[in-house]
C-alpha cells in the first residue's frame, strides 16, 4: 500500500488530503481491519492470487467451454484481496461471483470487517491504477471518495 501511494504521489503530485489520510490509514485503518484476521487464535494461510483479476482477464475457451484467466501477476496474499478490485462499477464481476466463491470458501472472520477489508483492498488497487495513468486526474478524485478511513477515523 505504501509503495502504491508513493507511486501515485510521484505520478500526480502532492495532495493536501493525503497529509491527513495517509497517516490515519497506516496508524489506524490497516491495523484495525487486518490485525483481527490473526487475533484471538485466528491465522491466515496466504493464498496465491491472480493479482489483477477483472473481467477483461477472463474468458471461456470456445473449444472446451472451460473458464480461462490470463494476464496474471501472481503473488501471495489474503484470499479475499482480489475481491476489492471487483467492487468498482466498471468491473463486471458482481455479487453472484462472490456468492459462488463463498459457497466454497467462507468469509474470513471476523465477518463484520469483511466490507471494510474489501474497501481497503480496493483502495490499494485504485491507488495503483491512478499512479499508472498519470494524465487522468479523475482517477485520483474517484478513489479519494472511497478512502475507508475517511468516515471511520478521521
Amino acid at each position: 500500500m505504501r509503495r502504491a501511494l508513493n507511486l501515485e504521489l510521484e505520478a500526480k503530485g502532492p495532495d493536501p488530503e493525503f497529509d491527513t489520510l495517509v497517516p490515519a490509514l497506516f496508524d489506524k485503518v490497516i491495523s484495525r481491519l487486518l490485525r483481527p484476521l490473526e487475533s484471538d487464535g485466528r491465522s491466515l494461510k496466504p493464498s496465491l492470487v491472480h493479482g489483477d483479476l477483472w473481467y477483461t482477464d477472463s474468458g471461456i475457451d470456445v473449444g472446451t467451454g472451460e473458464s480461462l484467466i490470463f494476464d496474471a501477476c501472481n503473488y501471495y496474499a489474503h484470499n479475499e484481496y482480489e475481491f476489492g478490485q471487483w467492487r468498482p462499477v466498471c468491473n463486471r464481476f458482481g455479487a453472484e461471483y462472490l456468492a459462488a466463491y463463498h459457497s466454497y470458501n467462507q468469509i474470513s472472520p471476523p465477518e463484520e470487517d469483511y466490507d471494510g477489508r474489501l474497501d481497503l483492498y480496493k483502495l490499494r488497487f485504485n491507488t495503483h491504477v491512478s499512479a499508472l495513468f498519470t494524465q487522468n486526474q479523475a482517477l485520483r478524485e474517484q478513489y479519494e471518495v472511497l478512502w475507508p478511513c475517511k468516515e471511520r477515523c478521521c
Side-chain angles (χ1 to χ4, degrees):
M1 185 72 212
R2 199 173 301 276
R3 178 73 177 136
L5 284 164
N6 288 338
L7 288 171
E8 206 280 344
L9 286 169
E10 289 173 24
K12 299 257 170 66
D15 184 318
E17 265 196 300
F18 278 37
D19 295 338
T20 301
L21 295 174
V22 170
L25 178 68
F26 285 99
D27 294 344
K28 297 178 183 180
V29 176
I30 291 174
S31 61
R32 164 58 191 89
L33 291 172
L34 300 185
R35 183 177 294 127
L37 292 168
E38 296 200 313
S39 298
D40 299 326
R42 293 185 286 265
S43 64
L44 282 180
K45 178 182 176 188
S47 298
L48 185 64
V49 298
H50 179 279
D52 188 27
L53 186 58
W54 63 306
Y55 75 94
T56 65
D57 290 340
S58 66
I60 303 292
D61 183 311
V62 293
T64 66
E66 295 288 319
S67 298
L68 298 171
I69 56 171
F70 37 89
D71 195 24
C73 51
N74 301 98
Y75 52 90
Y76 285 93
H78 180 204
N79 68 301
E80 295 171 353
Y81 172 78
E82 204 100 63
F83 304 148
Q85 73 185 49
W86 291 12
R87 289 199 152 184
V89 278
C90 64
N91 195 338
R92 296 181 188 160
F93 288 138
E96 66 277 9
Y97 290 89
L98 286 173
Y101 178 85
H102 289 307
S103 72
Y104 293 97
N105 296 288
Q106 294 182 331
I107 292 173
S108 298
E111 292 83 357
E112 61 271 15
D113 291 344
Y114 178 73
D115 285 328
R117 289 191 303 264
L118 295 195
D119 284 345
L120 178 64
Y121 301 152
K122 178 181 176 180
L123 175 64
R124 191 253 168 234
F125 174 76
N126 287 351
T127 302
H128 195 187
V129 168
S130 182
L132 288 172
F133 297 96
T134 58
Q135 301 303 310
N136 189 341
Q137 192 64 25
L139 289 171
R140 177 182 271 187
E141 294 162 6
Q142 168 189 311
Y143 81 79
E144 279 182 347
V145 300
L146 303 171
W147 278 71
C149 68
K150 215 169 194 177
E151 288 80 32
R152 294 185 185 144
C153 69
C154 299

